[in-house]
Structure formats: C-alpha cells, structure tokens
Amino acid sequence: MRVGAARAAAVRWVAEHARPAPGYRGAYFSGSTVGRPDDAELAPSSDVDVVVVTAQDEPPAKPGKLRYEEALLEISYVPWAELRDPAAVLSSYHLAGSFREDTVIDDPTGRLRALYADVSPHFAERSWVRRRCLDARHRVESRLAAFDASAPFHEQVTAWMFPTGVTTHVLLVAALRNPTVRLRYPAARDVLTAYRRPELYPELLGLLGCADVSERRVRRHVGELARTFDATVPVARTPFFFSSDLTAQARPIAVDGSLELLDRGEHREAVFWVVATLARCHTVLAVDDPALHAARLPAFEAAVAELTGITGTADVLARREEVTRFLPRLWTAAEDIMAADPDVTGKSGDALPPHRPLC
C-alpha cells in the first residue's frame, strides 16, 4: 500500500469515527510517515499514526492498532491541554515533530494550524532542539530511577529496557530525526554514521547486551516470540496501554517486522522489540492466564538471558548503572550532532513563540 492511500484511509476514519465523539477538537498525523511522499511504499510492518485531540483532560483509552480499508492505523488521543502552549510543545520530544510540517487532518477550531504556525519556524532552532534532547535524557534518568526491584522479572525487564532504548532518541532528536519506536536502533546507527561517531553504536547495543549476539540465536527466539504472541492474543482481556500491540492486527509489526529486520541483516537491531514484546506478553499473561504465563516463562527467561545477558534482578540493576554512567558521553555526542547539523540553526530560540497560549 502507498503512504498516500493509507493517509487517505486515515482521514476517512477520523471523519467517521473520531469527529462525532464528544469533546473532539481535531486530528493530526504523527510518527514515521510524517514527511514521507504519498507515492512511497508503506511496508506491512509499518502503520500510520493518527493523534486525535480531545477537550477531555483524561482521554479515553486509545483504540491503538486497527485495520481500516486495508490500512493499518495506530490511533491515540492527546488532551488539548497538552498542546495549548507552543513553547511546551517545542520542548517535548514526542510532540514537537508532528508540527514541524503541516500534519493536520482535521481542525474544526483552527487551533492545530495555529499551533503549527507557531512551532514550525522554531523547530530547528538550537535551544529548542537542546530542550527536546534534555526531555529525552530526563525520560531515561527518571524512568531508570523509578525502577522497582521487587516487581516480577518481566516487569523489571520492561522497566529497564524502555528507558535504555530512549538513549537512541536523544541522538535522533539532536539530528532532527523522528524518534521512532520499533526501529530506533537502526535509525540511531544511521545518525551516528552520518555524524562520524560510529564508535558509539556498539556501546548503545552493549547497554542492551546484544552487541555480539548471533543472527541464529535471535532468529530462534523470534520463533519463541511468535509462539508466545499467538498464545497471548486469544486470552488477553485486561486493558493495558500497550494492548493494541498484542492483537492479530499488530502481528505484522510485532513478529513479521522482527523477521524483516533479520532478513536484512539487522538481527542485533531486532533484539529490542523482540524482548520488549515478549515482556509485554508476559505482563498480560500473568494477569489473564497465569498457567500459560508459567508455561511460557522458561522461553522468556532464556530469550532475555541469551539476547541481553540478563538473568535476574542483580543484572538489571548493574545494567541500569551502566546506562547512567554512559549518559554524559551520550550527551556530548548529542551536542556534537547539534553543532554539526546544518539544519539546526544558531538562533537563540529563547523567546517564546507568538500567540501563546492557544486557548
């Protein structure tokens, strides 16, 4: 499917399903398709991210991944309160990228395009880029600091792995790249290569423990992932914020997308999403089918041990400290990238954009 056709399907979904809802304030595109031409091919392992803006301070649970007119969409909600201040959006690494370009799908109030008009001219100014890098770094630090050593092992793995993966986002944000989720490691490798810092990439992989893992070993555990995933989908009942990633519609991303990485020689880059998805499956199984959770647990523990080198809480704690010690060097690299990127402007950016807040 072409990106343009998938976007057109998303526009129709918004008109049919989002616009009639109480509190609806508009919708916009986000994620990896932003900036891609309409005639680009959308891989089966990719979706189109749509953010629905609501007046509610507590938005409803996100629909997540769904199939609509053959397009795979990822639907999420954001309260308008998080978007009303352009300075806050410019400082947020997960919000600002959607307003670098005109991604607006529907704007009944006119506020989203006003926000775009305020954010876009300042997006690449050095001080705003730096604030977004700091936002990503803070996410690493704060989430690692919140680690709970008394939690079940699968939750410990999640609590360590996701903030560790955000180290890649610090670099991507510095280079004005999309802080992608599943493909964060290949994207970070490309940035480090482009900015002549390739020596840092093995260290990023080393923080995950997969710098030297073999393709054969990863492929074996992707097979175990497929078995665990397919066993989880039919029994999942309890809602989690990631529940839409564990559905039949999401299988092309969760399982097939990992195989796609292996087939193109990026087996080390597949480890992050393989282990993260396995841990999420066990979070669901522990609640919705404890017997199946216990039955599949040895395969999970083997995957974590063989792909990341972690066998228990002590290893997780030690790896958390490694990430913390690495952060100053990561920050130096981010500063170097910002200084070398010709698209990062030297304007101060300290003055807040006009027309704020957008009430």
Side-chain angles (χ1 to χ4, degrees):
M1 180 176 243
R2 302 290 181 183
V3 169
R7 286 192 186 117
V11 171
R12 290 189 288 272
W13 183 91
V14 167
E16 182 178 349
H17 295 280
R19 192 180 295 160
Y24 173 76
R25 292 294 181 269
Y28 60 90
F29 290 113
S30 184
S32 60
T33 62
V34 172
R36 295 189 66 191
D38 283 345
D39 60 355
E41 189 68 28
L42 188 66
S45 57
S46 296
D47 53 23
V48 176
D49 292 282
V50 174
V51 181
V52 176
V53 184
T54 175
Q56 302 172 42
D57 290 333
E58 294 293 332
K62 71 174 186 176
K65 290 181 176 60
L66 55 89
R67 187 72 62 177
Y68 184 81
E69 297 182 0
E70 303 304 316
L72 183 60
L73 309 180
E74 169 84 22
I75 311 296
S76 58
Y77 290 95
V78 65
W80 172 249
E82 291 187 17
L83 301 176
R84 65 172 6 124
D85 184 349
V89 173
L90 273 164
S91 300
S92 169
Y93 90 89
H94 69 280
L95 290 176
S98 295
F99 297 97
R100 182 183 188 180
E101 300 183 20
D102 185 355
T103 62
V104 176
I105 298 171
D106 185 38
D107 188 21
T109 69
R111 294 174 179 175
L112 288 177
R113 283 206 165 82
L115 178 62
Y116 160 68
D118 280 347
V119 169
S120 181
H122 300 276
F123 179 85
E125 290 175 3
R126 189 180 309 278
S127 68
W128 292 114
V129 179
R130 195 171 191 274
R131 291 186 197 193
R132 292 194 295 274
C133 290
L134 285 169
D135 182 36
R137 176 174 176 166
H138 175 70
R139 182 166 296 198
V140 177
E141 293 170 328
S142 61
R143 295 195 176 183
L144 287 178
F147 178 80
D148 180 4
S150 68
F153 182 59
H154 58 273
E155 294 182 11
Q156 291 183 27
V157 170
T158 298
W160 154 72
M161 178 162 267
F162 273 93
T164 297
V166 176
T167 55
T168 64
H169 288 170
V170 176
L171 300 170
L172 294 173
V173 171
L176 304 180
R177 308 286 179 90
N178 171 42
T180 184
V181 178
R182 184 175 61 90
L183 300 177
R184 63 183 72 188
Y185 281 90
R189 179 200 60 212
D190 292 346
V191 164
L192 289 170
T193 300
Y195 289 92
R196 301 181 180 180
R197 296 297 304 269
E199 76 283 355
L200 278 184
Y201 188 60
E203 294 188 57
L204 285 179
L205 293 177
L207 296 176
L208 284 183
C210 62
D212 300 314
V213 71
S214 70
E215 185 270 344
R216 181 179 178 183
R217 178 171 291 183
V218 178
R219 191 173 292 275
R220 184 173 75 251
H221 289 296
V222 171
E224 293 297 335
L225 167 63
R227 285 184 274 278
T228 298
F229 186 94
D230 291 341
T232 302
V233 168
V235 303
R237 297 181 303 275
T238 303
F240 292 91
F241 74 91
F242 54 79
S243 289
S244 68
D245 291 324
L246 304 180
T247 63
Q249 291 88 344
R251 196 183 194 278
I253 295 176
V255 178
D256 300 342
S258 296
L259 288 170
E260 182 183 290
L261 285 172
L262 266 68
D263 290 342
R264 66 191 198 203
E266 297 183 324
H267 57 279
R268 300 181 303 172
E269 287 74 14
V271 166
F272 174 82
W273 202 240
V274 170
V275 175
T277 303
L278 276 169
R280 286 176 162 183
C281 285
H282 280 277
T283 297
V284 171
L285 292 176
V287 175
D288 291 339
D289 196 328
L292 185 54
H293 164 61
R296 296 300 305 164
L297 194 57
F300 170 69
E301 292 173 341
V304 177
E306 294 186 15
L307 299 182
T308 73
I310 285 177
T311 60
T313 303
D315 293 332
V316 178
L317 290 170
R319 199 68 62 79
R320 184 184 68 164
E321 292 305 312
E322 288 181 27
V323 176
T324 300
R325 289 195 298 270
F326 178 71
L327 285 178
R329 295 182 60 239
L330 178 72
W331 187 253
T332 298
E335 292 275 21
D336 290 345
I337 290 168
M338 285 184 272
D341 191 332
D343 293 324
V344 175
T345 70
K347 296 179 182 178
S348 70
D350 291 330
L352 298 179
H355 310 123
R356 75 171 187 92
L358 299 170
C359 300

